[in-house]
Amino acid sequence: MEHVLGKTPKTQGCIFDPPGTATHDKHSLLLYRDQWTVVLLNRFPYANGHLLVAPIRHLADLPELSLQEQGKLMHMVTQCCTILRATFAPDGLNVGLNLGQTAGAGIADHLHFHIVPRWDGDHNFMTVCAEIRTIPQHIDNTFDTLLPHFLKKQV
């Protein structure tokens, strides 16, 4: 509710640069980090398992990525899709990014992909009428469910 009411404290720095050098951190919802990419569980998800995948470098637009960064980022997006399918068996996935604040980017200065698992019939009147999301699993449980897959991952 603090987020909905605009009472969440402003965080220092960028969420895509969690403190320390650990490859994972539950407090930051960091599922994976390597020298190229970072994967976070979305703290305010549209659906269970909603992931955010970003390059390590703070870049606002796709043309700023090097060819190597493009490849590593898309490889990670692909691996996240594979992990979500294996873990939650969604009927589909929404994969996308919003470039610029006007396009809907909540964090416009650090490009990031959203990967949202989808199930047949998962839209309900709560989201449409009341702008309320219903998530069937607590975010801590979702993190614990996904983390073992990222711990096995070697890039």
Side-chain angles (χ1 to χ4, degrees), residues 62-112:
L62 290 170
E64 298 175 48
L65 292 166
S66 70
L67 288 176
Q68 190 170 28
E69 287 170 318
Q70 289 176 28
K72 295 292 187 180
L73 184 60
M74 287 310 300
H75 180 69
M76 182 57 69
V77 167
T78 302
Q79 288 191 318
C80 288
C81 290
T82 299
I83 288 170
L84 287 171
R85 285 183 178 119
T87 306
F88 296 116
D91 297 314
L93 297 167
N94 288 127
V95 179
L97 71 157
N98 302 317
L99 296 174
Q101 186 174 8
T102 302
I107 302 171
D109 64 343
H110 198 143
L111 73 88
H112 55 283

Side-chain angles (χ1 to χ4, degrees), residues 3 10 20 25 32 34 36 41 50 55 59 83 87 122 128 140 142 150:
H3 176 68
K10 298 292 180 193
D25 174 50
Y32 184 81
D34 63 20
W36 300 101
L41 195 56
H50 182 166
L59 306 168
I83 288 170
T87 306
D122 65 2
V128 176
D140 288 343
T142 303
F150 285 95

Side-chain angles (χ1 to χ4, degrees), residues 1-10:
M1 281 306 297
E2 290 81 10
H3 176 68
V4 172
L5 296 173
K7 295 180 181 179
T8 51
K10 298 292 180 193

